[in-house]
Amino acid sequence: MLNVLFFGRIREELDCAQLTVAPGPGCDDLDALQKHLETMHGDRWQTVLGQDNLIRAVNHAVVSVNVPLVDGDEVAFFPPVTGG
C-alpha cells in the first residue's frame, strides 16, 4: 500500500490527514496518484491538489518531478512554505 499524508492547509481543506492507496496501474507514479486522488474525491480535491505551488514528497524527500511509486512508499502533500 501507499501511505498518503496531507499537511497544514492541505489537510484542513481536504479534511483528511492520511489515507492508503493500493499501488499499481493508475497509481504507479506520483502524477498518476495525484490524478487518481483528484478523480476519486471530486472537485474540491482537484482544486486543492491542483495548485501550482503544491509541495510533494516521496519517502521524506521533496520531489519537483514525477517519480515512480512502489508498494510501501510514503507520499506527502504540503502547502507552500513562506517565510518572514
Side-chain angles (χ1 to χ4, degrees):
M1 298 300 277
L2 301 171
N3 189 31
V4 184
L5 306 171
F6 305 97
F7 292 94
R9 182 175 41 85
I10 303 297
R11 178 184 61 225
E12 293 169 9
E13 290 180 2
L14 298 179
D15 193 27
C16 181
Q18 74 178 48
L19 51 83
T20 57
V21 176
C27 293
D28 55 353
D29 62 43
L30 186 55
D31 288 348
L33 170 65
Q34 185 170 332
K35 185 65 175 172
H36 171 76
L37 294 172
E38 293 171 2
T39 301
M40 292 298 298
H41 295 281
D43 291 340
R44 182 72 183 147
W45 284 58
Q46 185 173 17
T47 299
V48 173
L49 295 180
Q51 298 174 59
D52 290 337
N53 54 0
L54 184 73
I55 298 170
R56 307 184 305 176
V58 176
N59 298 324
H60 304 268
V62 172
V63 295
S64 59
V65 297
N66 192 25
V67 296
L69 300 173
V70 296
D71 191 23
D73 280 349
E74 179 182 272
V75 176
F77 294 94
F78 297 89
V81 178
T82 60

